[in-house]
Amino acid sequence: MRTIKLGTSALEVPVVAVGCMRIHSLSKLEAERFVQAALEEGANFFDHADIYGGGECESIFAEAVHMTDDVRESVILQSKCGIRKGMFDFSKEHILEAVDGSLRRLKTDYLDVLLLHRPDALVEPEEVAEAFDILESSGKVRHFGVSNQKPMQIELLKRYVRQPLVANQLQLSITNATMISNGINVNMENESAIDRDGSVLDYCRLHDITIQPWSPFQYGFFEGVFLNNDKFKEVNQKIDEIADRYDVSNTTIAIAWLLRHPANMQPVIGTMNVGRLRDSCKASEIRLTREEWYEIYRAAGNILP
């Protein structure tokens, strides 16, 4: 598995992250096999959140990986906090409690990465800074980042937080590529020119913040998978054509499309299927041509100005 640096940190991470949001849907044996398959592929970066399965996903993962001190040193664990029932909460108290809960469920003394999950309208960045300082000094968290945040929200945090923000987890796929499209359609009077995210793609590149695309196979907001979907015939035909060229699956090409972008992204795959997991990891070995990347982009319905 090819690796990249996570943001400005010295942490080397595989270019494909394994999302564990659905691991609670597997049996104990299935979960063990899935985690082992990921490790065999060199995909040892596992993404969690305290709300996944109501916390159950973190516990199931710890059992599936057979967590020990030796095992812990062979995996990279990222978790997220800040979403509560009916609200978002970046208070100092909640951040500290959430991390302690994740550590307990994951059977570890530290997280490699902690992300703030969804923007909290009532965030007091001074409290976030206090929480981060406590977590860092105690050794409970080694690196910090955000999720679903736009540039000015990050800038507000950075005014108070001492630690580098190394990652921003954002929704991005071939069919959900507005952060790319608005940069192509500059000064155009069309739907694609609308900047919905404050130019977050360029911002993250400028500040060496690793973008972690979530739902790389989804369209809409968890409306379904676009691969092998009749709603997206043209882009599937193009992806299949290119997949045949490289002798890989369409899953591989969908991830390779994200990896081809020079922002050095780290897609977070959410599949619990071992075959699709392995196909996703194969994307690490493929570099699409510029022509192929744009062919897929246009086939998804995007029009070049």
Side-chain angles (χ1 to χ4, degrees), residues 160-178:
Y160 298 90
V161 171
R162 294 186 307 103
Q163 297 80 6
L165 300 176
V166 299
N168 189 6
Q169 201 168 109
L170 298 158
Q171 185 175 18
L172 177 62
S173 71
I174 291 170
T175 55
N176 282 57
T178 57

Side-chain angles (χ1 to χ4, degrees), residues 3-300:
T3 63
I4 56 172
K5 285 279 197 304
L6 189 68
T8 56
S9 76
L11 188 61
E12 288 277 348
V13 299
V15 293
V16 173
V18 181
C20 295
M21 185 174 73
R22 299 180 180 89
I23 199 169
H24 65 307
S25 66
L26 304 180
S27 68
K28 181 179 179 180
L29 182 58
E30 288 171 336
E32 289 176 347
R33 288 174 175 170
F34 177 80
V35 171
Q36 184 57 40
L39 295 175
E40 289 170 358
E41 294 293 331
N44 68 333
F45 187 106
F46 296 93
D47 174 73
H48 296 272
D50 60 347
I51 64 160
Y52 292 166
E56 186 181 358
C57 292
E58 290 176 325
S59 299
I60 290 172
F61 171 83
E63 294 296 327
V65 78
H66 302 289
M67 188 67 78
T68 63
D69 289 344
D70 288 341
V71 169
R72 178 64 186 92
E73 294 308 306
S74 69
V75 297
I76 302 171
L77 298 182
Q78 172 175 282
S79 196
K80 302 182 289 293
C81 70
I83 298 179
R84 299 177 63 185
K85 186 175 182 180
M87 62 189 288
F88 302 128
D89 189 349
F90 286 174
S91 67
K92 172 184 173 182
E93 180 183 24
H94 179 68
I95 292 172
L96 295 177
E97 288 179 355
V99 169
D100 283 343
S102 289
L103 295 179
R104 183 174 61 253
R105 291 186 293 270
L106 288 167
K107 297 183 179 179
T108 181
D109 295 328
Y110 69 96
L111 293 175
D112 293 284
V113 189
L114 173 70
L115 304 184
L116 300 177
H117 205 162
R118 282 269 177 193
D120 175 13
L122 303 182
V123 62
E124 296 181 58
E126 301 94 332
E127 284 201 30
V128 175
E130 289 179 26
F132 281 11
D133 284 345
I134 292 170
L135 293 171
E136 182 184 49
S137 63
S138 65
K140 292 181 179 180
V141 177
R142 296 185 175 179
H143 303 92
F144 299 85
V146 296
S147 181
N148 306 297
Q149 293 206 15
K150 59 185 180 179
M152 294 310 292
Q153 293 170 321
I154 297 172
E155 283 295 309
L156 178 61
L157 281 176
K158 285 170 64 176
R159 181 178 178 184
Y160 298 90
V161 171
R162 294 186 307 103
Q163 297 80 6
L165 300 176
V166 299
N168 189 6
Q169 201 168 109
L170 298 158
Q171 185 175 18
L172 177 62
S173 71
I174 291 170
T175 55
N176 282 57
T178 57
M179 72 173 68
I180 292 174
S181 296
N182 74 61
I184 292 176
N185 290 269
V186 173
N187 203 39
M188 302 298 295
E189 294 185 1
N190 58 32
E191 179 74 13
S192 296
I194 298 173
D195 184 354
R196 294 178 168 85
D197 51 45
S199 297
V200 70
L201 173 57
D202 293 328
Y203 174 86
C204 288
R205 294 182 72 181
L206 282 167
H207 293 273
D208 295 318
I209 297 172
T210 298
I211 291 176
Q212 296 178 332
W214 56 266
S215 288
F217 306 116
Q218 294 274 337
Y219 69 93
F221 186 67
F222 293 116
E223 291 178 40
V225 177
F226 64 84
L227 291 176
N228 302 318
N229 188 328
D230 287 340
K231 290 183 179 180
F232 303 94
K233 287 184 178 179
E234 186 176 350
V235 72
N236 273 287
Q237 288 172 356
K238 179 56 64 176
I239 290 172
D240 290 345
E241 173 191 322
I242 295 173
D244 288 341
R245 193 178 302 159
Y246 286 91
D247 193 25
V248 295
S249 74
N250 56 357
T251 295
T252 303
I253 296 302
I255 297 299
W257 188 83
L258 292 170
L259 295 180
R260 176 60 178 85
H261 196 282
N264 284 324
M265 301 180 192
Q266 186 194 30
V268 181
I269 59 170
T271 183
M272 290 291 108
N273 179 283
V274 170
R276 285 194 288 274
L277 165 70
R278 295 191 188 279
D279 285 344
S280 296
C281 292
K282 286 180 184 177
S284 166
E285 306 163 7
I286 291 176
R287 179 177 170 83
L288 298 179
T289 67
R290 185 180 297 266
E291 290 78 10
E292 289 166 339
W293 189 93
Y294 272 103
E295 285 173 0
I296 292 172
Y297 177 77
R298 297 198 317 273

